[in-house]
Amino acid sequence: MADALPGPDIRTGRLSPDDYLENFDDLHPPLGTHEASVEADRCYFCYDAPCTIACPTSIDIPKFIRQISTGNPVGSAKTIFAENILGGMCARVCPTETLCEEACVRNLAEDKPVQIGLLQRYATDTYLERPDRHPYSRAASTGKTVAIVGGGPAGLSCAHALACEGHDVTIFDAREKLGGLNEYGIAAYKTTNDFAQTEVDFVLSIGGIDVQCGKALGRDITLAGLRKEFDAVFLGMGLPGVNALRAEGEDLNGVIDAVAYIAELRQAKDLAKLPVGRKVVVIGGGMTAIDIAVQAKRLGAEEVTIAYRRDRDAMKASAYEQEVALTNGVVIREWFQPKRLLGEGGHVAGIELERTAQDASGRLSGTGETVTLEADQVFKAIGQTFVPDALGGAEALSLDSGRINVDDDRRTSVAGVWAGGDCIAGGEDLTVAAVEDGKVAARSIHAALSA
Amino acid sequence: MADLSTNFIGIKSPNPFWLASAPPTDKEYNVVRAFKAGWGGVVWKTLGEDPAVVNVNGPRYGAIHGRDRNLIGFNNIELITDRPLEVNLREIKQVKRDWSDRAMVVSLMVPCEEQSWIDILKKVEDTEADGIELNFGCPHGMSERGMGSAVGQVPEYIEMVTRWCKQHSRMPVIVKLTPNITDIRKPAQAAKAGGADAVSLINTINSIVSVDLDQMAPEPTIDGRGAHGGYCGPAVKPIALNMVAEIARDPETHGLPISGIGGVTTWKDAAEFMALGAGTVQVCTAAMTYGFKIVEEMKDGLSDWMDEKGYTSVDQVVGRAVPNVTDWQQLNLNYVVKAQIDQDACIKCGRCHIACEDTSHQAITSMKDGLRHFEVIDEECVGCNLCVSVCPVEDCISMVQMTEGTDPRTGKKIEPDYANWTTHPNNPNRVMEAAE
């Protein structure tokens, strides 16, 4: 039976076991062979295809779709992996509606793009059905060594490309498992059946990659040490810090960092043991806000409200993601910012939101008008930050807006150090962009090591 | 409402849609279902001599599919009816009696011996069927035994057997032609010379529909081996239309009634066959794909179209396009068109560009002012229609005639007069205009 906690209504086991299974099953069921064949036939095989141009990793989409339509999903997957070794995860988590599928010319014809994401998943899933195969073989060892800090999408992509070239790669990751946000951050219903680890195993199967988990930069290893020990270093440790609300009552129990909660959810062996409130408020407007809101709803929360300080157009979450939230019964309230959190006995009981307004120059300010929402849990999803302290004071790594500055080849200001993924300045905070960073950096590192 | 009734060489039917001699017309049960569904007539599945042939017990059919399993081409290795002759004759007689307003034609195939034909003709006459169709087309199995297309490929045999049939029977004779020849006019001329009342075409085309790459054998595969079959279905329609037109416009056979066969699937297919000279059409694959109900769409569609065009009877449609089928050398070389892309309809897939750029005349842009933009370059466009053919958007690209000015490609003035190859200066064999 559900454990009733005193005070706020936060409980485990709100749903039946079947409900958990259903709620956290694939958000988009995969295509079967016939469905994939029919969908592939919708592709026009465009010249200089807009979808490929829109893909941050430049996957040759018309080619891989044509390979599906000719009954060659394995070849199709190879086409995908050639540009994006994490094509399996990207097929699941890419906001395709703002990337390849937005560019699809079918939108002009009928407002219904080819389902590129699902086709990519069909091809890559087919390939990964057999764990014994890998599209590449490792070149003869070069004897050169590369340290990669962070085993997320950027680090994995970089590690794979360098291992292919015959370099000896070591991945250091602060967590227990590799995968980064693929393992700890993406909403559970987007990556079911432990896919993140399946993909990690696939990437590592190239060989030549040593994995050191539980090693955090600034704690167990230092950039200075890595630079001494390795021929090159790639930094891809993401954004370990979270922004503060800077509102009264932030320290109350029940005011939770959404990223940490999602990580817990992703690692939970039994979702029924994860406590969730009856009334939940989420602060923020990005993908994390949507993900936590929808997952809270699917864990059995009765009312979930996203409060965002601007309007929906300004949200970083795509219109499509917002639709997902709305169809899951999440309420999105625009033009509200948190003013203070109300507590009872040390636990949050509500949140006072202040209506905001924007002046002609786009500057936001509170109007003084407030509303109070009851809340058993308040999730903070207002962005993550890079933590430069880990780099060690001695290193004069140039930063921009708190993230690492890189050039087009993903070189940092320090010789022999490259960086990519969410921790670099000017990035898109997308899995697929991180994969591209890793790929580009690997090319540059290989060139440097071969020089 | 247009009158769809037809009188084809004296054989009357309420509409021009007949079922071709094939599996759908092998039994009373099927044929009665077809008549109930509204088909105008049937050509009963080919009768032969007893003992009846045997069919393979493995698969008889193979198919070419579109991605959503729509059937584009169909192939079979079935033989003529494998039921006893007497059973077929009894059923034919019964069905004709019960459905007297429908056309009942009986397809026949016996060895090239006069007595064999005399014997079977007599039996068929007793059924009071409306006519016979001589199966000189079946390209598999029976042809190995000197029948079917083995006869249809030798004009002299066609003429001989046709003559026997006319001589020994009062029934109208339709000769069914095989497309597995080099010039369809020759067998048609032979049929006419033998006294045929009509020809029907096309029978199926020799084909291997696919190869099983695991068994390394043609499909359908029977115990690891396959034989060529007969190809039919929507894929063969263009071949059939051409052959029908060739016979319709050949001076020697012009006016010879034609029953059109080959991939008729919709009313429009039927109307096209009729425009090229077919007085009736015969359908098989479409019925075998969808069932007999499809005849409703065919009848309604043909009738609605005829109403819209002001045609009141089928006769007004039959052969109407024949005068416009001509030889290449008669085409007007002064007719100049340029492709034009409707920019509002264009979805910017770029297929017109790459097709033209890679394989033709480099006459379509891919970019204008740094933006993705597809536009025809009149200076290069030869008006070939490739872009129209590959464009996924209907009516997005059209071919627009130039009626005045100068063709920017050739720099030549647009001539309003008709002029063809026969008088063209580049033609070494040109006909010189007679001196005054």
Side-chain angles (χ1 to χ4, degrees), chain B residues 371-416:
Chain B
L371 293 173
R372 191 175 175 84
H373 181 84
F374 304 97
E375 196 174 284
V376 176
I377 304 161
D378 286 349
E379 288 74 11
E380 306 296 336
C381 178
V382 305
C384 72
N385 211 40
L386 175 63
C387 54
V388 174
S389 307
V390 303
C391 177
V393 180
E394 231 171 309
D395 300 330
C396 174
I397 310 181
S398 40
M399 305 305 295
V400 181
Q401 185 187 357
M402 290 189 71
T403 51
E404 54 187 14
T406 305
D407 179 348
R409 180 175 70 89
T410 58
K412 288 184 182 152
K413 198 170 154 287
I414 301 296
E415 297 289 347

Coordinates of all heavy atoms in Angstrom, one line a residue, chain B residues 371-416:
Chain B
L371 N 19.5 31.5 -52.3 CA 18.5 30.8 -51.6 C 18.1 29.6 -52.5 O 18.3 29.6 -53.8 CB 17.2 31.6 -51.5 CG 17.3 32.7 -50.4 CD1 16.1 33.6 -50.5 CD2 17.5 32.2 -49.0
R372 N 17.6 28.5 -51.9 CA 17.2 27.3 -52.6 C 16.0 27.7 -53.5 O 15.0 28.1 -53.0 CB 16.8 26.3 -51.5 CG 16.5 24.9 -52.0 CD 16.2 24.0 -50.7 NE 15.8 22.7 -51.1 CZ 16.7 21.7 -51.4 NH1 17.9 21.9 -51.3 NH2 16.2 20.5 -51.7
H373 N 16.2 27.6 -54.8 CA 15.2 28.0 -55.7 C 15.3 27.3 -57.0 O 16.4 27.2 -57.6 CB 15.4 29.5 -55.9 CG 14.3 30.2 -56.8 ND1 13.1 30.6 -56.4 CD2 14.4 30.4 -58.2 CE1 12.4 31.0 -57.4 NE2 13.1 31.0 -58.5
F374 N 14.2 26.8 -57.5 CA 14.2 26.0 -58.7 C 13.4 26.7 -59.8 O 12.2 26.9 -59.6 CB 13.7 24.6 -58.4 CG 14.5 23.9 -57.3 CD1 14.0 24.0 -55.9 CD2 15.7 23.3 -57.5 CE1 14.8 23.4 -54.9 CE2 16.5 22.8 -56.5 CZ 16.0 22.8 -55.2
E375 N 14.1 27.0 -60.8 CA 13.5 27.7 -61.9 C 14.0 27.3 -63.2 O 15.2 26.9 -63.3 CB 13.8 29.2 -61.7 CG 13.0 30.2 -62.4 CD 13.4 31.6 -62.0 OE1 12.9 32.1 -60.9 OE2 14.1 32.3 -62.8
V376 N 13.2 27.3 -64.2 CA 13.6 26.8 -65.5 C 14.4 27.8 -66.3 O 14.1 29.0 -66.2 CB 12.4 26.4 -66.4 CG1 12.8 25.9 -67.8 CG2 11.6 25.2 -65.7
I377 N 15.5 27.4 -66.9 CA 16.3 28.3 -67.7 C 15.9 28.1 -69.1 O 16.2 27.0 -69.7 CB 17.8 27.9 -67.5 CG1 18.2 28.0 -66.0 CG2 18.7 28.9 -68.3 CD1 19.5 27.3 -65.7
D378 N 15.1 29.0 -69.6 CA 14.5 28.8 -71.0 C 15.6 28.6 -72.1 O 15.3 27.9 -73.0 CB 13.6 30.0 -71.3 CG 12.3 30.0 -70.6 OD1 12.0 28.9 -69.9 OD2 11.6 31.0 -70.6
E379 N 16.7 29.2 -71.8 CA 17.8 29.1 -72.8 C 18.3 27.6 -73.0 O 18.9 27.3 -74.0 CB 19.0 30.0 -72.5 CG 18.8 31.4 -72.6 CD 17.8 32.0 -71.6 OE1 17.5 31.3 -70.6 OE2 17.4 33.2 -71.7
E380 N 18.1 26.8 -71.9 CA 18.5 25.4 -72.0 C 17.4 24.4 -72.1 O 17.6 23.3 -72.5 CB 19.3 25.1 -70.7 CG 20.5 26.0 -70.4 CD 21.6 26.0 -71.4 OE1 21.7 25.0 -72.2 OE2 22.3 27.0 -71.6
C381 N 16.2 24.8 -71.8 CA 15.1 23.9 -71.7 C 14.7 23.4 -73.1 O 14.3 24.2 -74.0 CB 13.9 24.5 -71.0 SG 12.5 23.4 -70.9
V382 N 14.7 22.0 -73.3 CA 14.3 21.5 -74.6 C 12.8 21.0 -74.5 O 12.3 20.5 -75.5 CB 15.1 20.3 -75.0 CG1 16.6 20.7 -75.1 CG2 14.9 19.1 -74.1
G383 N 12.2 21.2 -73.4 CA 10.8 20.9 -73.2 C 10.5 19.4 -73.1 O 9.5 18.9 -73.6
C384 N 11.5 18.7 -72.5 CA 11.4 17.2 -72.6 C 10.4 16.5 -71.7 O 10.0 15.4 -71.9 CB 12.8 16.6 -72.4 SG 13.3 16.7 -70.6
N385 N 10.0 17.2 -70.6 CA 8.9 16.7 -69.7 C 9.5 15.8 -68.6 O 8.8 15.3 -67.8 CB 7.9 15.9 -70.5 CG 6.5 16.0 -69.8 OD1 6.1 17.0 -69.4 ND2 5.8 14.9 -69.8
L386 N 10.9 15.7 -68.6 CA 11.5 14.9 -67.5 C 11.1 15.5 -66.1 O 10.7 14.8 -65.2 CB 13.0 14.8 -67.6 CG 13.7 14.1 -66.5 CD1 13.3 12.6 -66.4 CD2 15.2 14.2 -66.7
C387 N 11.2 16.8 -66.0 CA 10.9 17.4 -64.7 C 9.5 17.2 -64.3 O 9.2 16.9 -63.1 CB 11.3 18.9 -64.7 SG 10.5 19.8 -66.1
V388 N 8.6 17.3 -65.2 CA 7.2 17.0 -64.9 C 7.0 15.6 -64.4 O 6.3 15.3 -63.5 CB 6.3 17.2 -66.1 CG1 4.8 16.8 -65.8 CG2 6.3 18.7 -66.6
S389 N 7.8 14.7 -65.1 CA 7.6 13.3 -64.7 C 8.1 12.9 -63.3 O 7.6 12.1 -62.6 CB 8.4 12.4 -65.7 OG 8.0 12.7 -67.0
V390 N 9.2 13.6 -62.9 CA 9.8 13.3 -61.6 C 9.3 14.2 -60.4 O 9.5 13.9 -59.3 CB 11.3 13.4 -61.6 CG1 11.9 12.4 -62.7 CG2 11.8 14.8 -61.8
C391 N 8.6 15.3 -60.8 CA 8.1 16.2 -59.7 C 7.0 15.4 -58.9 O 6.1 14.9 -59.4 CB 7.5 17.4 -60.3 SG 6.8 18.5 -59.1
P392 N 7.2 15.5 -57.5 CA 6.2 14.8 -56.7 C 4.9 15.5 -56.5 O 4.0 15.0 -56.0 CB 6.9 14.6 -55.4 CG 7.9 15.7 -55.3 CD 8.3 16.0 -56.7
V393 N 4.9 16.8 -57.0 CA 3.7 17.6 -56.8 C 2.9 17.7 -58.1 O 3.5 18.2 -59.1 CB 4.0 19.0 -56.3 CG1 2.7 19.8 -56.1 CG2 4.8 18.9 -55.0
E394 N 1.7 17.2 -58.1 CA 0.9 17.2 -59.3 C 0.7 18.6 -59.8 O 0.4 19.5 -59.0 CB -0.4 16.5 -59.0 CG -0.8 15.5 -60.0 CD -2.0 14.7 -59.6 OE1 -2.0 14.2 -58.4 OE2 -2.9 14.5 -60.4
D395 N 0.8 18.8 -61.1 CA 0.5 20.1 -61.7 C 1.4 21.3 -61.2 O 1.1 22.4 -61.4 CB -0.9 20.6 -61.4 CG -1.9 19.6 -62.1 OD1 -1.6 19.0 -63.1 OD2 -3.0 19.5 -61.5
C396 N 2.5 20.9 -60.6 CA 3.5 22.0 -60.1 C 4.3 22.5 -61.3 O 4.5 23.7 -61.5 CB 4.4 21.4 -59.0 SG 5.7 22.6 -58.6
I397 N 4.7 21.6 -62.2 CA 5.4 21.9 -63.4 C 4.5 21.7 -64.6 O 3.9 20.6 -64.7 CB 6.7 21.2 -63.5 CG1 7.5 21.2 -62.2 CG2 7.6 21.7 -64.7 CD1 8.9 20.5 -62.3
S398 N 4.4 22.7 -65.4 CA 3.6 22.4 -66.6 C 4.5 22.8 -67.9 O 5.4 23.6 -67.8 CB 2.4 23.3 -66.6 OG 2.6 24.5 -66.1
M399 N 4.1 22.2 -69.0 CA 4.8 22.5 -70.2 C 4.0 23.6 -71.0 O 2.8 23.3 -71.3 CB 4.9 21.3 -71.1 CG 5.6 20.1 -70.4 SD 7.2 20.4 -69.7 CE 8.1 20.7 -71.2
V400 N 4.6 24.7 -71.2 CA 3.8 25.8 -71.7 C 4.3 26.1 -73.2 O 5.5 26.2 -73.4 CB 4.0 27.1 -70.9 CG1 3.2 28.3 -71.5 CG2 3.6 26.9 -69.4
Q401 N 3.3 26.1 -74.1 CA 3.7 26.3 -75.5 C 4.1 27.8 -75.8 O 3.5 28.7 -75.3 CB 2.5 25.9 -76.4 CG 2.8 26.0 -77.8 CD 1.6 25.8 -78.8 OE1 0.5 25.6 -78.3 NE2 1.9 25.9 -80.1
M402 N 5.2 27.9 -76.6 CA 5.5 29.2 -77.1 C 4.8 29.4 -78.4 O 5.0 28.6 -79.3 CB 7.1 29.3 -77.3 CG 7.9 29.3 -76.0 SD 9.6 29.6 -76.4 CE 9.5 31.4 -76.8
T403 N 4.1 30.5 -78.5 CA 3.3 30.7 -79.7 C 3.9 31.9 -80.6 O 3.5 32.0 -81.7 CB 1.8 31.0 -79.4 OG1 1.8 32.1 -78.4 CG2 1.2 29.8 -78.8
E404 N 4.8 32.6 -80.0 CA 5.4 33.7 -80.7 C 6.8 34.0 -80.2 O 7.2 33.5 -79.2 CB 4.5 35.0 -80.7 CG 4.2 35.4 -79.2 CD 3.2 36.5 -79.2 OE1 2.5 36.8 -80.2 OE2 3.1 37.1 -78.1
G405 N 7.4 34.9 -80.9 CA 8.8 35.3 -80.5 C 9.8 34.3 -81.0 O 9.7 33.6 -82.0
T406 N 10.9 34.2 -80.2 CA 12.0 33.4 -80.6 C 12.3 32.4 -79.5 O 12.2 32.7 -78.3 CB 13.3 34.3 -80.7 OG1 13.0 35.3 -81.7 CG2 14.5 33.5 -81.2
D407 N 12.6 31.2 -79.8 CA 13.0 30.2 -78.8 C 14.4 30.5 -78.3 O 15.4 30.5 -79.1 CB 13.0 28.8 -79.5 CG 13.4 27.7 -78.5 OD1 13.9 28.0 -77.4 OD2 13.3 26.5 -78.8
P408 N 14.5 30.9 -77.0 CA 15.8 31.4 -76.5 C 16.9 30.3 -76.6 O 18.0 30.6 -76.5 CB 15.5 31.8 -75.1 CG 14.2 31.2 -74.7 CD 13.5 30.9 -76.0
R409 N 16.5 29.0 -76.7 CA 17.5 28.0 -76.7 C 18.1 27.9 -78.1 O 19.3 27.8 -78.3 CB 16.8 26.6 -76.4 CG 17.8 25.4 -76.5 CD 17.1 24.1 -76.0 NE 16.2 23.7 -77.0 CZ 16.4 22.9 -78.0 NH1 17.7 22.5 -78.2 NH2 15.5 22.5 -78.8
T410 N 17.2 28.0 -79.2 CA 17.8 27.8 -80.5 C 18.0 29.1 -81.2 O 18.7 29.1 -82.2 CB 16.8 27.0 -81.4 OG1 15.5 27.7 -81.4 CG2 16.5 25.6 -80.8
G411 N 17.4 30.1 -80.7 CA 17.5 31.4 -81.3 C 16.6 31.5 -82.6 O 16.8 32.4 -83.4
K412 N 15.8 30.5 -82.8 CA 15.0 30.5 -84.0 C 13.6 31.0 -83.7 O 13.0 30.8 -82.6 CB 14.9 29.1 -84.5 CG 16.2 28.6 -85.2 CD 16.0 27.2 -85.8 CE 17.3 26.7 -86.4 NZ 17.4 25.3 -86.4
K413 N 13.0 31.7 -84.7 CA 11.7 32.2 -84.6 C 10.7 31.1 -84.4 O 10.8 30.1 -85.0 CB 11.4 33.1 -85.8 CG 10.3 34.0 -85.7 CD 10.3 35.0 -87.0 CE 8.9 35.5 -87.2 NZ 7.9 34.5 -87.7
I414 N 9.7 31.4 -83.6 CA 8.6 30.4 -83.5 C 7.7 30.4 -84.7 O 7.2 31.5 -85.1 CB 7.7 30.7 -82.2 CG1 8.5 30.7 -81.0 CG2 6.5 29.7 -82.2 CD1 9.1 29.4 -80.6
E415 N 7.7 29.3 -85.4 CA 6.9 29.2 -86.7 C 5.5 28.7 -86.4 O 5.4 27.7 -85.7 CB 7.6 28.2 -87.7 CG 9.0 28.7 -88.1 CD 9.0 29.9 -89.0 OE1 7.9 30.2 -89.5 OE2 10.0 30.5 -89.2
P416 N 4.5 29.4 -86.8 CA 3.1 28.9 -86.6 C 2.7 27.7 -87.4 O 1.8 27.0 -87.0 CB 2.3 30.1 -86.9 CG 3.1 30.9 -87.9 CD 4.5 30.6 -87.6

